[in-house]
Amino acid sequence: MADAARVRKVADHIHETVARLLQGRIKDPRLGFVTITDVRVTGDLQQATVFYTVYGSDEEREDTAAALRSATGLIRSEVGRALGIRLTPSLTFQLDSLPTQAQAFEDALAQARARDEQIARTYAGATYAGDADPYRHDDEDDEDDSDGYDDEDAYRGDEA
């Protein structure tokens, strides 16, 4: 089991190598506008999952996934040369769902903001049904104090 610092360094090195290969060496026409977002390596350095995003339609995402599957062997051999470790990790490419989820959250927040603005416009000219402030305050006169206690909280009833 490798330590966490070494796992992180291997993941970073794989990230850089795969990005460089996709930018220059891999010439598959199915490959769309790909961005490598993250690489996660297991603690034993045997498997690496490469997360990527594709700018474009669902069809372009599928074509890019097929291109990456077909180029996995070439990419793995180049990663092995670049790493220089005894065993080259097996590579798995995974479409990163984070941008899609972030867009869904942004859409939900936009809908909530629009609904809040609509409610604010609806109640803009509204007035209170009773007093604007229905609560009692300490600075008001206690003339209307009919609870049986005076200001010092002593009972004013019959002393039997």
Side-chain angles (χ1 to χ4, degrees), residues 89-159:
S90 62
L91 299 178
T92 305
F93 290 94
Q94 178 72 36
L95 183 63
D96 196 354
S97 62
L98 185 65
T100 312
Q101 290 175 348
Q103 185 61 43
F105 287 142
E106 289 294 326
D107 293 344
L109 287 173
Q111 288 176 353
R113 278 189 218 102
R115 180 72 177 138
D116 287 346
E117 290 172 4
Q118 179 186 7
I119 290 171
R121 282 192 304 270
T122 301
Y123 295 112
T127 59
Y128 294 104
D131 292 336
D133 186 10
Y135 301 103
R136 293 178 57 181
H137 297 283
D138 291 338
D139 59 343
E140 293 178 356
D141 292 335
D142 289 333
E143 297 170 6
D144 195 26
D145 200 12
S146 61
D147 61 354
Y149 291 94
D150 60 9
D151 290 341
E152 287 82 27
D153 291 332
Y155 185 68
R156 288 183 290 170
D158 293 334
E159 306 256 340

Side-chain angles (χ1 to χ4, degrees), residues 1-2 37 45 56 64 77 134 155-156:
M1 183 74 68
T37 56
L45 303 178
T64 299
S77 64
Y155 185 68
R156 288 183 290 170

